[in-house]
Amino acid sequence: MRANFIFSEVWIGLRRNLTMTIAVVVTVAVGMGLLGIGLMINSQVSSLTNYWMDRVELSVFLCGKNDAFPACKNKGAITQDQKTNLKKAIEGLPDVQKVDYEDQNQAYQNFKENGGNNILLSVIKPEDLPESFRVKLKDPDKASAVEESLKGQVGVSNIVNQRQILDSVFGFMGKLRNMALAIAILMVLAATLLIGNTVRLSAYNRRRETGIMRLVGASNVYIQLPFVMEGVIAGLIGGVLAAVLLIVTKILIFDQIQMYMTAPLSWNTLAGVITLTMVVGVVICLLASFVTLRRYLKV
Amino acid sequence: MIHFDNVSKVYANQNRPALDHVSVDVDKGEFVFLVGPSGSGKSTFLRLVLKEERPNSGAIHVAGKDLAKLSNFKVPHLRRRIGCVFQDFRLLPKKNVYENVAFALEVIGKPRRFIRKVVPEVIELVGLEGKAHRMPEELSGGEQQRVAMARAFVNRPMILLADEPTGNIDPATSIGIMKVLDRINRTGTTVLMATHDAAIVDSMRKRVVELEDGKIVRDQSRGVYGQAY
């Protein structure tokens, strides 16, 4: 009887305020979707960061025969002596853990494996690729310092600091995440106000009923629950749409870039994210409804 | 049943009190008219009984409860023992007679079987048998007020408050309304009726409490409306 009554009231309220209900559902869906995407990016960034920061290398490329780098110009290819000296010098630096030599054939193999495109592969021969030292560091944060001290050494054409590349990638993902979260916060704010407004409209539409309910001694729960439920159900529908949005995002975006990721976004992580966004959505709806009702449905 | 002890009520932003040191006792089963010109404090008196307003000073007891000590969440239980009828009926236009009366029981969580049993009884008591499935707009003003009375009485309250129940109804129909109120009073329900209607007060010969500018100027058992009106 009670449940019956409350659900029919909720249904009537949602239908009477259809446009507002749709606005709430869409806002909650978009807001919670962005919050979820932000959280998903975050989990990917942190697992990537952990993985890559341990593997950061400096690539010290060596002068080839006709290299155009200013450091090598007119000096010809690096000699075997110079190579040995350079390796010793690098190994002598306090922050260096390990130095590996990569010759032209290895460089060509790596280039092929790392998905160089076919047109380039057909043109490039192993002789075109430079030799290099791959320098592994004890502390990835010291990469710039090591790079500075190796610059200008005899036979060094160019130094690529992977840390810089990674930083720009992570920086970009971090910005994406921050943007998603910032928009999510705005949407949550908008959703809160919209829910407040919807509940207020609903309360106004049914002031006659609630007035009579008060007079005949209906308890506060009985009077207020239909309105709160309205907000919560709109929020729940929004949350379900957000969950669909997040699942689609995982399949269409995160799973597509999986090959670049060390740890692909798991369904478990997604489930956690969805649960969290649902809870946030419903709690926001509850609070917004309650606060509004306290102002517009006095006992 | 209703006990006012030195009750004063001043609304915010008004210097003149709506009720000024009012003391009244209404016993169980009494029928009391509350008369006086507009703004004399009749409605404030009724609102205080319902705890819709709080007095600035003085003590109010209703149905044995000290309203000052009654916590907010117990107010609904107080209101279940008090029925209310108004000048403007306050029916739900999208519900028929039966549903309007049943609504009062549904929202306090009464079981469906109980509702099916008592609603037809009370519809008969107010003289609307055979009209249970009419919509309010199909009824005359007098009939609508009977529906409102049925709704107020269906939960068998100890007190029935009526705020100008005949205010929108022609004199001939008013007599029928008064008969229903009298019938309700005879079941042992205390009736407190605020009114302007001199003819009704004179014909009923019940207790009359007259308010003027928030003060009680007359309290007569078996009184009339008064010479001045």
Side-chain angles (χ1 to χ4, degrees), chain A residues 148-203:
Chain A
E148 272 317 302
S149 57
L150 290 180
K151 229 174 221 168
Q153 295 266 16
V154 181
V156 173
S157 66
N158 184 27
I159 300 173
V160 172
N161 183 351
Q162 288 182 339
R163 176 62 188 265
Q164 273 171 359
I165 299 171
L166 286 178
D167 276 352
S168 69
V169 172
F170 290 146
F172 175 69
M173 291 180 85
K175 272 180 203 149
L176 265 183
R177 175 198 58 198
N178 290 346
M179 223 155 72
L181 290 181
I183 299 174
I185 289 171
L186 284 179
M187 294 303 271
V188 164
L189 194 71
T192 314
L193 296 176
L194 268 175
I195 290 160
N197 223 340
T198 312
V199 168
R200 197 171 77 180
L201 262 180
S202 214

CSV table of all heavy atoms in Angstrom, one decimal, chain A residues 148-203:
chain,number,residue,atom,x,y,z
A,148,GLU,N,72.8,16.9,-20.3
A,148,GLU,CA,73.6,18.1,-20.4
A,148,GLU,C,75.1,17.7,-20.4
A,148,GLU,O,75.9,18.3,-21.2
A,148,GLU,CB,73.4,19.0,-19.1
A,148,GLU,CG,72.3,20.0,-19.3
A,148,GLU,CD,72.2,20.7,-20.6
A,148,GLU,OE1,73.3,21.4,-21.0
A,148,GLU,OE2,71.2,20.6,-21.4
A,149,SER,N,75.5,16.8,-19.5
A,149,SER,CA,76.9,16.5,-19.5
A,149,SER,C,77.4,15.7,-20.7
A,149,SER,O,78.6,15.7,-20.9
A,149,SER,CB,77.3,15.8,-18.1
A,149,SER,OG,76.5,14.6,-18.0
A,150,LEU,N,76.5,15.1,-21.4
A,150,LEU,CA,76.9,14.3,-22.6
A,150,LEU,C,76.9,15.1,-23.8
A,150,LEU,O,77.6,14.8,-24.8
A,150,LEU,CB,76.1,13.1,-22.8
A,150,LEU,CG,76.2,12.0,-21.7
A,150,LEU,CD1,75.3,10.8,-22.0
A,150,LEU,CD2,77.7,11.5,-21.7
A,151,LYS,N,76.2,16.2,-23.8
A,151,LYS,CA,76.1,17.1,-25.0
A,151,LYS,C,77.5,17.6,-25.3
A,151,LYS,O,78.3,18.0,-24.4
A,151,LYS,CB,75.2,18.3,-24.7
A,151,LYS,CG,74.1,18.4,-25.8
A,151,LYS,CD,73.1,19.5,-25.4
A,151,LYS,CE,71.8,19.0,-25.9
A,151,LYS,NZ,70.7,19.9,-25.3
A,152,GLY,N,77.9,17.6,-26.6
A,152,GLY,CA,79.1,18.2,-27.0
A,152,GLY,C,80.3,17.2,-26.9
A,152,GLY,O,81.4,17.6,-27.3
A,153,GLN,N,80.1,16.0,-26.4
A,153,GLN,CA,81.2,15.0,-26.4
A,153,GLN,C,81.5,14.6,-27.8
A,153,GLN,O,80.6,14.7,-28.7
A,153,GLN,CB,80.7,13.8,-25.6
A,153,GLN,CG,80.4,14.0,-24.2
A,153,GLN,CD,81.6,13.7,-23.3
A,153,GLN,OE1,82.8,13.5,-23.8
A,153,GLN,NE2,81.4,13.6,-22.0
A,154,VAL,N,82.7,14.3,-28.0
A,154,VAL,CA,83.2,14.0,-29.4
A,154,VAL,C,82.4,12.8,-29.9
A,154,VAL,O,82.3,11.8,-29.2
A,154,VAL,CB,84.7,13.7,-29.4
A,154,VAL,CG1,85.1,13.4,-30.8
A,154,VAL,CG2,85.4,14.9,-28.8
A,155,GLY,N,81.9,12.9,-31.1
A,155,GLY,CA,81.2,11.7,-31.8
A,155,GLY,C,79.8,11.6,-31.5
A,155,GLY,O,79.1,10.7,-32.0
A,156,VAL,N,79.2,12.5,-30.6
A,156,VAL,CA,77.8,12.4,-30.3
A,156,VAL,C,77.0,13.3,-31.2
A,156,VAL,O,77.3,14.5,-31.3
A,156,VAL,CB,77.6,12.9,-28.8
A,156,VAL,CG1,76.1,13.0,-28.5
A,156,VAL,CG2,78.3,11.9,-27.9
A,157,SER,N,76.1,12.8,-32.0
A,157,SER,CA,75.4,13.6,-32.9
A,157,SER,C,74.2,14.2,-32.2
A,157,SER,O,73.9,15.4,-32.4
A,157,SER,CB,74.9,12.7,-34.1
A,157,SER,OG,74.0,11.8,-33.7
A,158,ASN,N,73.5,13.5,-31.4
A,158,ASN,CA,72.2,14.0,-30.9
A,158,ASN,C,71.9,13.1,-29.7
A,158,ASN,O,72.1,11.9,-29.7
A,158,ASN,CB,71.2,13.8,-32.0
A,158,ASN,CG,69.9,14.4,-31.6
A,158,ASN,OD1,69.8,15.3,-30.8
A,158,ASN,ND2,68.8,13.9,-32.2
A,159,ILE,N,71.2,13.7,-28.7
A,159,ILE,CA,70.7,12.9,-27.6
A,159,ILE,C,69.2,13.0,-27.5
A,159,ILE,O,68.7,14.2,-27.6
A,159,ILE,CB,71.4,13.4,-26.3
A,159,ILE,CG1,72.9,13.3,-26.4
A,159,ILE,CG2,70.8,12.6,-25.1
A,159,ILE,CD1,73.6,13.9,-25.2
A,160,VAL,N,68.6,11.9,-27.4
A,160,VAL,CA,67.1,11.9,-27.2
A,160,VAL,C,66.8,11.5,-25.8
A,160,VAL,O,67.1,10.4,-25.4
A,160,VAL,CB,66.4,11.0,-28.2
A,160,VAL,CG1,64.9,11.0,-27.9
A,160,VAL,CG2,66.6,11.6,-29.6
A,161,ASN,N,66.2,12.4,-25.1
A,161,ASN,CA,65.8,12.1,-23.7
A,161,ASN,C,64.3,11.6,-23.7
A,161,ASN,O,63.4,12.4,-23.9
A,161,ASN,CB,65.9,13.4,-22.9
A,161,ASN,CG,65.6,13.2,-21.5
A,161,ASN,OD1,65.2,12.1,-21.1
A,161,ASN,ND2,65.8,14.2,-20.6
A,162,GLN,N,64.2,10.3,-23.5
A,162,GLN,CA,62.8,9.7,-23.5
A,162,GLN,C,61.9,10.3,-22.5
A,162,GLN,O,60.7,10.4,-22.7
A,162,GLN,CB,62.9,8.2,-23.3
A,162,GLN,CG,63.4,7.5,-24.5
A,162,GLN,CD,63.4,6.0,-24.2
A,162,GLN,OE1,63.4,5.5,-23.0
A,162,GLN,NE2,63.5,5.2,-25.2
A,163,ARG,N,62.6,10.8,-21.4
A,163,ARG,CA,61.8,11.4,-20.4
A,163,ARG,C,61.0,12.6,-20.9
A,163,ARG,O,59.8,12.7,-20.5
A,163,ARG,CB,62.8,11.8,-19.2
A,163,ARG,CG,62.1,12.6,-18.1
A,163,ARG,CD,61.1,11.6,-17.4
A,163,ARG,NE,60.4,12.4,-16.4
A,163,ARG,CZ,60.7,12.4,-15.2
A,163,ARG,NH1,61.7,11.8,-14.7
A,163,ARG,NH2,59.9,13.1,-14.3
A,164,GLN,N,61.7,13.3,-21.8
A,164,GLN,CA,61.0,14.5,-22.3
A,164,GLN,C,59.8,14.1,-23.1
A,164,GLN,O,58.7,14.7,-23.1
A,164,GLN,CB,61.9,15.4,-23.2
A,164,GLN,CG,62.7,16.4,-22.3
A,164,GLN,CD,63.8,17.1,-23.1
A,164,GLN,OE1,64.0,16.8,-24.3
A,164,GLN,NE2,64.5,17.9,-22.4
A,165,ILE,N,60.0,13.0,-23.9
A,165,ILE,CA,58.8,12.6,-24.8
A,165,ILE,C,57.7,12.1,-23.9
A,165,ILE,O,56.5,12.4,-24.0
A,165,ILE,CB,59.3,11.4,-25.7
A,165,ILE,CG1,60.4,11.9,-26.6
A,165,ILE,CG2,58.1,10.9,-26.5
A,165,ILE,CD1,61.1,10.8,-27.4
A,166,LEU,N,58.1,11.3,-22.9
A,166,LEU,CA,57.1,10.7,-22.0
A,166,LEU,C,56.4,11.9,-21.2
A,166,LEU,O,55.1,11.9,-21.1
A,166,LEU,CB,57.7,9.8,-20.9
A,166,LEU,CG,58.1,8.4,-21.5
A,166,LEU,CD1,58.8,7.6,-20.4
A,166,LEU,CD2,56.9,7.7,-22.1
A,167,ASP,N,57.2,12.8,-20.8
A,167,ASP,CA,56.6,13.9,-20.0
A,167,ASP,C,55.5,14.6,-20.9
A,167,ASP,O,54.5,15.0,-20.4
A,167,ASP,CB,57.7,15.0,-19.6
A,167,ASP,CG,58.3,14.5,-18.3
A,167,ASP,OD1,57.8,13.5,-17.7
A,167,ASP,OD2,59.3,15.1,-17.9
A,168,SER,N,55.8,14.8,-22.2
A,168,SER,CA,54.8,15.5,-23.0
A,168,SER,C,53.6,14.7,-23.2
A,168,SER,O,52.5,15.2,-23.2
A,168,SER,CB,55.4,16.0,-24.3
A,168,SER,OG,55.7,14.9,-25.1
A,169,VAL,N,53.8,13.3,-23.3
A,169,VAL,CA,52.6,12.5,-23.5
A,169,VAL,C,51.8,12.5,-22.2
A,169,VAL,O,50.6,12.7,-22.2
A,169,VAL,CB,53.0,11.0,-23.8
A,169,VAL,CG1,51.8,10.1,-23.8
A,169,VAL,CG2,53.7,11.0,-25.2
A,170,PHE,N,52.5,12.3,-21.1
A,170,PHE,CA,51.8,12.2,-19.8
A,170,PHE,C,51.2,13.6,-19.5
A,170,PHE,O,50.1,13.7,-18.9
A,170,PHE,CB,52.7,11.8,-18.6
A,170,PHE,CG,53.2,10.4,-18.7
A,170,PHE,CD1,54.4,10.0,-18.3
A,170,PHE,CD2,52.3,9.4,-19.2
A,170,PHE,CE1,54.8,8.7,-18.4
A,170,PHE,CE2,52.7,8.1,-19.3
A,170,PHE,CZ,54.0,7.7,-18.9
A,171,GLY,N,51.9,14.6,-19.8
A,171,GLY,CA,51.4,16.0,-19.6
A,171,GLY,C,50.1,16.1,-20.4
A,171,GLY,O,49.1,16.7,-19.8
A,172,PHE,N,50.0,15.6,-21.6
A,172,PHE,CA,48.8,15.8,-22.4
A,172,PHE,C,47.7,15.0,-21.8
A,172,PHE,O,46.6,15.5,-21.7
A,172,PHE,CB,49.1,15.3,-23.8
A,172,PHE,CG,47.9,15.3,-24.7
A,172,PHE,CD1,47.3,16.4,-25.1
A,172,PHE,CD2,47.4,14.1,-25.1
A,172,PHE,CE1,46.2,16.4,-26.0
A,172,PHE,CE2,46.3,14.0,-26.0
A,172,PHE,CZ,45.7,15.2,-26.4
A,173,MET,N,48.0,13.8,-21.4
A,173,MET,CA,46.9,12.9,-20.8
A,173,MET,C,46.5,13.6,-19.5
A,173,MET,O,45.3,13.5,-19.2
A,173,MET,CB,47.4,11.5,-20.6
A,173,MET,CG,47.6,10.8,-21.9
A,173,MET,SD,48.1,9.1,-21.7
A,173,MET,CE,46.6,8.3,-21.4
A,174,GLY,N,47.4,14.1,-18.7
A,174,GLY,CA,47.0,14.8,-17.5
A,174,GLY,C,46.1,15.9,-17.7
A,174,GLY,O,45.1,16.1,-17.0
A,175,LYS,N,46.4,16.7,-18.8
A,175,LYS,CA,45.6,17.8,-19.1
A,175,LYS,C,44.2,17.4,-19.5
A,175,LYS,O,43.2,17.9,-19.1
A,175,LYS,CB,46.2,18.6,-20.3
A,175,LYS,CG,47.1,19.7,-19.8
A,175,LYS,CD,47.7,20.5,-21.0
A,175,LYS,CE,49.0,21.1,-20.6
A,175,LYS,NZ,49.9,21.2,-21.7
A,176,LEU,N,44.1,16.3,-20.3
A,176,LEU,CA,42.8,15.7,-20.7
A,176,LEU,C,42.0,15.4,-19.5
A,176,LEU,O,40.8,15.7,-19.3
A,176,LEU,CB,43.0,14.4,-21.5
A,176,LEU,CG,43.0,14.6,-23.0
A,176,LEU,CD1,43.1,13.2,-23.6
A,176,LEU,CD2,41.7,15.2,-23.5
A,177,ARG,N,42.7,14.7,-18.5
A,177,ARG,CA,42.0,14.2,-17.3
A,177,ARG,C,41.5,15.4,-16.5
A,177,ARG,O,40.4,15.5,-16.1
A,177,ARG,CB,43.0,13.4,-16.5
A,177,ARG,CG,42.4,13.0,-15.1
A,177,ARG,CD,43.6,12.7,-14.2
A,177,ARG,NE,44.5,13.8,-14.0
A,177,ARG,CZ,45.7,13.6,-13.5
A,177,ARG,NH1,46.2,12.4,-13.2
A,177,ARG,NH2,46.5,14.7,-13.4
A,178,ASN,N,42.4,16.5,-16.4
A,178,ASN,CA,42.0,17.6,-15.6
A,178,ASN,C,40.8,18.3,-16.2
A,178,ASN,O,39.9,18.8,-15.6
A,178,ASN,CB,43.1,18.6,-15.5
A,178,ASN,CG,44.2,18.1,-14.6
A,178,ASN,OD1,44.0,17.1,-13.9
A,178,ASN,ND2,45.4,18.7,-14.7
A,179,MET,N,40.8,18.4,-17.6
A,179,MET,CA,39.7,19.0,-18.3
A,179,MET,C,38.4,18.2,-18.0
A,179,MET,O,37.4,18.8,-17.7
A,179,MET,CB,40.0,19.1,-19.8
A,179,MET,CG,39.7,20.4,-20.4
A,179,MET,SD,40.6,20.6,-21.9
A,179,MET,CE,39.9,19.5,-23.0
A,180,ALA,N,38.5,16.9,-18.2
A,180,ALA,CA,37.3,16.0,-18.0
A,180,ALA,C,36.8,16.3,-16.6
A,180,ALA,O,35.6,16.4,-16.4
A,180,ALA,CB,37.7,14.6,-18.2
A,181,LEU,N,37.7,16.3,-15.6
A,181,LEU,CA,37.3,16.4,-14.2
A,181,LEU,C,36.7,17.8,-14.0
A,181,LEU,O,35.7,18.0,-13.2
A,181,LEU,CB,38.4,16.2,-13.2
A,181,LEU,CG,38.9,14.7,-13.2
A,181,LEU,CD1,40.0,14.5,-12.2
A,181,LEU,CD2,37.7,13.8,-12.8
A,182,ALA,N,37.3,18.9,-14.6
A,182,ALA,CA,36.8,20.2,-14.4
A,182,ALA,C,35.4,20.3,-14.9
A,182,ALA,O,34.4,20.8,-14.3
A,182,ALA,CB,37.7,21.2,-15.1
A,183,ILE,N,35.2,19.8,-16.2
A,183,ILE,CA,33.8,19.8,-16.8
A,183,ILE,C,32.9,19.0,-15.9
A,183,ILE,O,31.7,19.4,-15.7
A,183,ILE,CB,33.8,19.3,-18.2
A,183,ILE,CG1,34.8,20.2,-19.0
A,183,ILE,CG2,32.4,19.3,-18.8
A,183,ILE,CD1,35.0,19.7,-20.4
A,184,ALA,N,33.4,17.9,-15.4
A,184,ALA,CA,32.5,17.0,-14.6
A,184,ALA,C,32.0,17.8,-13.3
A,184,ALA,O,30.9,17.7,-13.0
A,184,ALA,CB,33.3,15.8,-14.1
A,185,ILE,N,32.9,18.6,-12.7
A,185,ILE,CA,32.5,19.3,-11.5
A,185,ILE,C,31.5,20.3,-11.9
A,185,ILE,O,30.5,20.5,-11.2
A,185,ILE,CB,33.8,20.0,-10.9
A,185,ILE,CG1,34.7,18.9,-10.3
A,185,ILE,CG2,33.4,21.0,-9.9
A,185,ILE,CD1,36.0,19.4,-9.8
A,186,LEU,N,31.7,21.0,-13.0
A,186,LEU,CA,30.6,22.0,-13.5
A,186,LEU,C,29.3,21.3,-13.7
A,186,LEU,O,28.3,21.8,-13.3
A,186,LEU,CB,31.1,22.7,-14.8
A,186,LEU,CG,32.2,23.8,-14.6
A,186,LEU,CD1,32.5,24.4,-15.9
A,186,LEU,CD2,31.6,24.8,-13.6
A,187,MET,N,29.4,20.1,-14.4
A,187,MET,CA,28.1,19.4,-14.7
A,187,MET,C,27.4,19.0,-13.4
A,187,MET,O,26.2,19.0,-13.3
A,187,MET,CB,28.4,18.2,-15.5
A,187,MET,CG,28.9,18.5,-16.9
A,187,MET,SD,27.8,19.6,-17.8
A,187,MET,CE,26.7,18.4,-18.6
A,188,VAL,N,28.2,18.5,-12.4
A,188,VAL,CA,27.7,18.1,-11.1
A,188,VAL,C,27.0,19.3,-10.5
A,188,VAL,O,25.8,19.1,-10.0
A,188,VAL,CB,28.8,17.5,-10.2
A,188,VAL,CG1,28.3,17.4,-8.8
A,188,VAL,CG2,29.2,16.2,-10.7
A,189,LEU,N,27.6,20.4,-10.6
A,189,LEU,CA,27.0,21.7,-10.0
A,189,LEU,C,25.7,21.9,-10.7
A,189,LEU,O,24.6,22.2,-10.1
A,189,LEU,CB,28.0,22.8,-10.2
A,189,LEU,CG,27.6,24.1,-9.4
A,189,LEU,CD1,27.9,23.8,-7.9
A,189,LEU,CD2,28.5,25.2,-9.9
A,190,ALA,N,25.7,21.9,-12.1
A,190,ALA,CA,24.5,22.1,-12.8
A,190,ALA,C,23.4,21.1,-12.5
A,190,ALA,O,22.3,21.5,-12.3
A,190,ALA,CB,24.8,22.1,-14.3
A,191,ALA,N,23.8,19.9,-12.4
A,191,ALA,CA,22.9,18.8,-12.0
A,191,ALA,C,22.2,19.1,-10.7
A,191,ALA,O,21.0,19.0,-10.5
A,191,ALA,CB,23.6,17.5,-12.0
A,192,THR,N,23.0,19.5,-9.7
A,192,THR,CA,22.5,19.8,-8.4
A,192,THR,C,21.4,20.9,-8.5
A,192,THR,O,20.3,20.7,-7.9
A,192,THR,CB,23.6,20.3,-7.4
A,192,THR,OG1,24.7,19.4,-7.6
A,192,THR,CG2,23.2,20.3,-6.0
A,193,LEU,N,21.7,22.0,-9.2
A,193,LEU,CA,20.8,23.1,-9.3
A,193,LEU,C,19.5,22.6,-10.0
A,193,LEU,O,18.4,22.9,-9.6
A,193,LEU,CB,21.4,24.3,-10.0
A,193,LEU,CG,22.6,24.9,-9.3
A,193,LEU,CD1,23.2,26.0,-10.1
A,193,LEU,CD2,22.2,25.4,-7.9
A,194,LEU,N,19.7,21.8,-11.1
A,194,LEU,CA,18.6,21.4,-11.9
A,194,LEU,C,17.7,20.5,-11.0
A,194,LEU,O,16.4,20.6,-11.1
A,194,LEU,CB,19.1,20.6,-13.1
A,194,LEU,CG,19.3,21.3,-14.4
A,194,LEU,CD1,19.9,20.4,-15.4
A,194,LEU,CD2,17.9,21.9,-14.8
A,195,ILE,N,18.3,19.6,-10.3
A,195,ILE,CA,17.5,18.7,-9.4
A,195,ILE,C,16.7,19.5,-8.4
A,195,ILE,O,15.5,19.3,-8.2
A,195,ILE,CB,18.4,17.7,-8.7
A,195,ILE,CG1,18.9,16.7,-9.8
A,195,ILE,CG2,17.6,16.9,-7.7
A,195,ILE,CD1,20.1,15.9,-9.3
A,196,GLY,N,17.4,20.5,-7.8
A,196,GLY,CA,16.7,21.4,-6.9
A,196,GLY,C,15.5,22.0,-7.5
A,196,GLY,O,14.4,22.0,-6.9
A,197,ASN,N,15.7,22.5,-8.7
A,197,ASN,CA,14.6,23.2,-9.4
A,197,ASN,C,13.5,22.3,-9.7
A,197,ASN,O,12.3,22.6,-9.6
A,197,ASN,CB,15.2,23.8,-10.7
A,197,ASN,CG,14.7,25.2,-10.9
A,197,ASN,OD1,13.6,25.6,-10.3
A,197,ASN,ND2,15.3,25.9,-11.7
A,198,THR,N,13.8,21.1,-10.2
A,198,THR,CA,12.8,20.1,-10.5
A,198,THR,C,12.0,19.7,-9.3
A,198,THR,O,10.7,19.7,-9.4
A,198,THR,CB,13.5,18.8,-11.0
A,198,THR,OG1,14.5,19.1,-12.0
A,198,THR,CG2,12.5,17.9,-11.7
A,199,VAL,N,12.7,19.5,-8.2
A,199,VAL,CA,11.9,19.1,-7.0
A,199,VAL,C,11.0,20.3,-6.6
A,199,VAL,O,9.9,20.1,-6.1
A,199,VAL,CB,12.9,18.7,-5.9
A,199,VAL,CG1,12.2,18.6,-4.6
A,199,VAL,CG2,13.6,17.4,-6.2
A,200,ARG,N,11.5,21.5,-6.7
A,200,ARG,CA,10.8,22.7,-6.3
A,200,ARG,C,9.5,22.8,-7.2
A,200,ARG,O,8.4,23.0,-6.7
A,200,ARG,CB,11.6,23.9,-6.5
A,200,ARG,CG,11.1,25.1,-5.7
A,200,ARG,CD,12.0,26.2,-5.7
A,200,ARG,NE,12.0,26.9,-7.0
A,200,ARG,CZ,12.8,27.9,-7.3
A,200,ARG,NH1,13.7,28.3,-6.5
A,200,ARG,NH2,12.7,28.5,-8.5
A,201,LEU,N,9.7,22.6,-8.5
A,201,LEU,CA,8.5,22.6,-9.4
A,201,LEU,C,7.5,21.6,-9.0
A,201,LEU,O,6.3,21.8,-9.0
A,201,LEU,CB,9.0,22.3,-10.8
A,201,LEU,CG,9.2,23.5,-11.7
A,201,LEU,CD1,9.7,23.0,-13.1
A,201,LEU,CD2,7.9,24.3,-11.9
A,202,SER,N,8.0,20.4,-8.8
A,202,SER,CA,7.2,19.3,-8.4
A,202,SER,C,6.4,19.6,-7.1
A,202,SER,O,5.2,19.3,-7.0
A,202,SER,CB,8.1,18.1,-8.2
A,202,SER,OG,7.5,16.9,-8.6
A,203,ALA,N,7.1,20.2,-6.2
A,203,ALA,CA,6.5,20.5,-4.9
A,203,ALA,C,5.4,21.5,-5.1
A,203,ALA,O,4.3,21.5,-4.5
A,203,ALA,CB,7.5,21.0,-3.9
